[in-house]
Structures are given as structure tokens and as C-alpha cells.
Amino acid sequence: QVQLVESGGGLVQAGGSLRLSCAASGRSFSETAMGWFRQAPGKEREFVAGISRAGEIYYSDSVKGRFTISRDNAKKTLSLQMSRLKPDDRAVYYCAQAARIAFFASRDYLANQNGYAAWGQGTQVTVSS
């Protein structure tokens, strides 16, 4: 049984930085792609960033150049370093584990939330003006 627990959310001023972490249980962490998604109030959940087992990384256009995703398979953790935060970044951020066991992953696969089998409870990120 896989469990994902996010942490690091909070309140930050626009232009500031925040680092989110996701702690995962289970041996399968190192066998699948991982991703970050977010959902703002009244909005659909959207893709933020994803990383394959091989280290392939893809970002949504809205965060590219500002966010950095990384993983540590030994520690079974997934991170999202966020910088130059904007009010539009305000949302609940979710850590997710892909269902497919594979080394490589395409951009389309990483960005499709339907390809993820496990989700964390989310952590709130609020960006003030």
C-alpha cells in the first residue's frame, strides 16, 4: 500500500520562494514516474511538473523557469522548489505517483492526471500580493 504525504505549504509573498516535499512509502516509488499537480478554488486540477524514473522532466508552461522538480529514490521523496511565486500559483498542491512501471515517460503521459494511481492529501500554497 503506497502512501504519499505532502508538506511545505504555507503563505508567501509574491516573488518569494517555497519548497514542497512529498514523502512516499512502498518499494514502488523508484519504479514509476512522479508528478505535482495543483488545484485552485473553483478550478480543475492541473499539471504542474513531472519526472520519470530516468530523470526526464517536464513542466507546464505556466511554471517553467520558476519551478524545479526533483526526486530522491533512496529517501523516497519528491520535491518541488518554487521561486518567483505569483498570485496565480495559489492552490492546493498534490503529489502523485504514476500507475505505469517504466523507466521513461513522455510529456503527455506525465501531464495526464489519469495516468496516476496514488495521490497525497495536498498542501496549501497561498501567495499574497
Side-chain angles (χ1 to χ4, degrees):
Q1 182 179 4
V2 62
Q3 294 183 12
L4 304 175
V5 181
E6 302 96 337
S7 63
L11 175 64
V12 63
Q13 292 184 332
S17 299
L18 204 62
R19 184 180 179 86
L20 305 182
S21 296
C22 172
S25 64
R27 297 184 179 89
S28 63
F29 176 84
S30 63
E31 300 176 344
T32 70
M34 299 291 295
W36 285 99
F37 292 78
R38 67 185 182 185
Q39 185 170 24
K43 303 294 183 179
E44 295 182 353
R45 181 181 294 170
E46 65 175 355
F47 170 74
V48 176
I51 181 170
S52 72
R53 175 64 181 86
E56 300 166 294
I57 296 174
Y58 297 97
Y59 299 97
S60 68
D61 291 338
S62 62
V63 307
K64 190 173 184 179
R66 299 188 298 118
F67 291 9
T68 301
I69 186 173
S70 62
R71 65 189 297 166
D72 188 330
N73 291 333
K75 296 182 179 180
K76 296 182 179 180
T77 58
L78 178 74
S79 299
L80 183 68
Q81 178 64 50
M82 305 182 293
S83 62
R84 295 154 56 196
L85 285 162
K86 305 175 180 179
D88 287 345
D89 294 321
R90 178 179 181 177
V92 175
Y93 284 71
Y94 297 92
C95 169
Q97 181 177 19
R100 182 184 300 172
I101 297 177
F103 193 70
F104 299 105
S106 67
R107 177 190 62 81
D108 289 344
Y109 179 79
L110 292 173
N112 185 0
Q113 64 179 316
N114 292 326
Y116 292 80
W119 297 80
Q121 294 298 307
T123 183
Q124 176 70 52
V125 173
T126 302
V127 184
S128 64
S129 301

